[in-house]
Each structure stands twice: as structure tokens, then as C-alpha cells.
Amino acid sequence: PDDLDSEFAPIEGRIKQELERHPLDSLRMVGTLERGVDVWGVILGRDGTVYRVQVGNYVGQNYGKIIAILEDRIELEERARDRQGRWQKRDASLALAE
């Protein structure tokens, strides 16, 4: 593996968070909560479970780390392998459900 590969590789040995068990497309953003400067995203799982997330939490099965929580979407940075097997960083998001 070259340096570019390791730069984007997921953190080894990190304990996975609850929402990493769910495919990103099975989750829906249903709102935000704010208290002072703290902002949380509210996500609904396919099974009806409601989750509260913050920047830095992980979501989905592609090591998606939350980088921003906005009124209409949660922005993620995912890690995935390209065709050559090297780790790449890509943007993803969960849009607010209608």
C-alpha cells in the first residue's frame, strides 16, 4: 500500500457505532435538535428507531463520518476502496425526509 492508500484508510481498531450496522440508504434524516451551540441530527432507522447524532459520529457501512449537520441534510465523508483496491474519500449526505 502506498501513502495515498493509508491516508484515507479507516481507523483500525475503532469500536463501531450503532448506526454503522445500517446501510446509509436505509436511514432517513427527520430533523435537527439545537440547544445553545450544540446541534444534533435526528435519524430514523428502517425499524422505526430514532437516533440522535452529532458531528464526528459514524453512520452507514462505508465508514461515513458526520462532518456537518445542517437544517436540510447531514453531510458525511465516507471511505471506500476504488477499483485498484486503494482507499478513497468521498462525500455523501442524508437529506431531510419530506
Side-chain angles (χ1 to χ4, degrees), residues 15-71:
I15 296 171
K16 291 211 176 216
Q17 297 179 5
E18 174 72 23
L19 284 172
E20 288 183 88
R21 292 190 216 148
H22 303 269
L24 196 59
D25 63 6
S26 74
L27 302 170
R28 292 188 10 217
M29 177 187 181
V30 292
T32 56
L33 295 170
E34 295 182 37
R35 186 168 62 207
V37 296
D38 294 325
V39 178
W40 292 271
V42 182
I43 294 177
L44 182 65
R46 187 180 282 155
D47 64 357
T49 304
V50 175
Y51 302 92
R52 190 176 73 179
V53 296
Q54 284 186 290
V55 169
N57 287 148
Y58 287 83
V59 178
Q61 296 175 326
N62 292 317
Y63 306 96
K65 185 175 185 178
I66 296 174
I67 56 172
I69 297 173
L70 307 167
E71 278 184 36

